[in-house]
Amino acid sequence: MRICGVGDNVVDRYPQRGLMYPGGNAVNVAVHAARCGAEAAYLGVLGTDEAGGHIRTALDAEGVGTDRVRTADGPNAYATVRLDAEGNRHFAGSDEGVSRFTPDDADLDWLAGFDLLHTGDCSGLEHALPLLARACPLSYDFSDRPWPYAEPLLPHVRYAVFSRPGAGDREAAALADAAHRAGPGTVIVTRGGGGALVSRDGVPHLQPVTPVEVVDTLGAGDSFVARLMVALLDGAAVPSAAAQAAAYAAEVCTHEGAFGHPRVCSDPHIAPVR
């Protein structure tokens, strides 16, 4: 199967560690899809600075295709991440750098060769969703955005991902039902330590987390989604796919960064704050 992450990329800078790691929702899903056996690619814009170069190097090392990646003159996008005592990540500022773009006709033709493309609310591609959805089945991460944001976009989406930490089973199920009525056949509601609800064609499955000694939760949701998508596209039933995704995301939480590749940064645009 072929999966493409489209849109956002960042370096996640960790002031407490003095390091930066490659990341961003679209990049994370592409990398973890590749690690889970998919033929994966990334479509987006990198900066001409050290951070942009580091992301491209990491993508190459992970076997993620970069045929349609652009490089624009200027700083790469970044996010500043702080960790609490339990390893939970909290974002403390960001800048989109040169990451914003609109897919052109050549991009859309290229995307037509994939089984699934994944993007989300951090990518600024809301205006392009109708075009993207016509090119390829679309997965979209709505994160914690409210319903008025999601509702007009859902008709273009096959797989809808929501983040609702702390939501109970009833609240998650109600959200999934509403999303189904708007269009997507598959709805994922991640709930942090509360596990996830995966609903396909209106049939919900509650998946608990896999217990693990947490080092860093950054990328946990993205890795869950990537593993789930690969398993579902490979024909697995939802309970099996969700269990695989939970185990995979737990393993990701035992490592630093969204998928590793730490680097000390000297670029003045995004140098780690000490």
Side-chain angles (χ1 to χ4, degrees):
M1 77 204 61
R2 305 187 72 214
I3 295 175
C4 188
V6 180
D8 67 318
N9 72 84
V10 298
V11 286
D12 293 308
R13 63 182 193 179
Y14 285 64
Q16 292 147 296
R17 298 173 179 164
L19 298 171
M20 66 176 180
Y21 297 78
N25 174 249
V27 165
N28 293 343
V29 169
V31 167
H32 287 296
R35 288 185 176 184
C36 293
E39 181 183 345
Y42 170 66
L43 167 60
V45 183
L46 303 177
T48 50
D49 56 5
E50 179 184 16
H54 182 48
I55 292 174
R56 186 181 286 274
T57 298
L59 290 170
D60 290 343
E62 293 288 344
V64 174
T66 57
D67 294 355
R68 300 293 302 173
V69 170
R70 282 91 147 144
T71 301
D73 188 26
N76 206 85
Y78 73 82
T80 300
V81 180
R82 294 187 179 276
L83 300 175
D84 63 23
E86 287 74 44
N88 295 306
R89 59 105 176 102
H90 304 278
F91 290 109
S94 63
D95 191 287
E96 65 186 31
V98 297
S99 63
R100 292 294 191 248
F101 77 109
T102 296
D104 59 26
D105 289 344
D107 293 327
L108 297 172
D109 289 343
W110 179 73
L111 287 168
F114 287 84
D115 298 298
L116 183 72
L117 71 85
H118 177 86
T119 189
D121 70 315
C122 292
S123 295
L125 289 172
E126 293 87 351
H127 66 289
L129 284 199
L131 295 174
L132 291 170
R134 284 198 290 271
C136 181
L138 176 63
S139 166
Y140 195 93
D141 193 328
F142 293 92
S143 187
D144 58 358
R145 295 291 192 112
W147 182 253
Y149 170 85
E151 187 175 22
L153 303 179
L154 283 165
H156 305 294
V157 174
R158 299 277 189 93
Y159 295 79
V161 182
F162 296 91
S163 175
R164 293 295 187 271
D169 295 349
R170 185 172 298 178
E171 180 184 349
L175 175 58
D177 287 344
H180 279 310
R181 289 193 294 272
T186 303
V187 181
I188 302 104
V189 184
T190 61
R191 301 182 294 167
L197 180 144
V198 181
S199 181
R200 194 161 213 193
D201 299 325
V203 180
H205 169 76
L206 294 173
Q207 178 61 47
V209 299
T210 300
V212 72
E213 189 75 24
V214 172
V215 172
D216 185 353
T217 61
L218 188 71
D222 298 340
S223 61
F224 180 92
V225 168
R227 185 69 189 95
L228 181 75
M229 301 296 187
V230 169
L232 291 176
L233 289 171
D234 201 36
V238 167
S240 174
Q244 293 175 51
Y248 183 76
E251 170 63 21
V252 168
C253 289
T254 66
H255 304 285
E256 296 181 348
F259 57 91
H261 299 276
R263 179 178 177 136
V264 175
C265 180
S266 59
D267 191 312
H269 290 295
I270 49 87
V273 178
R274 297 181 185 275

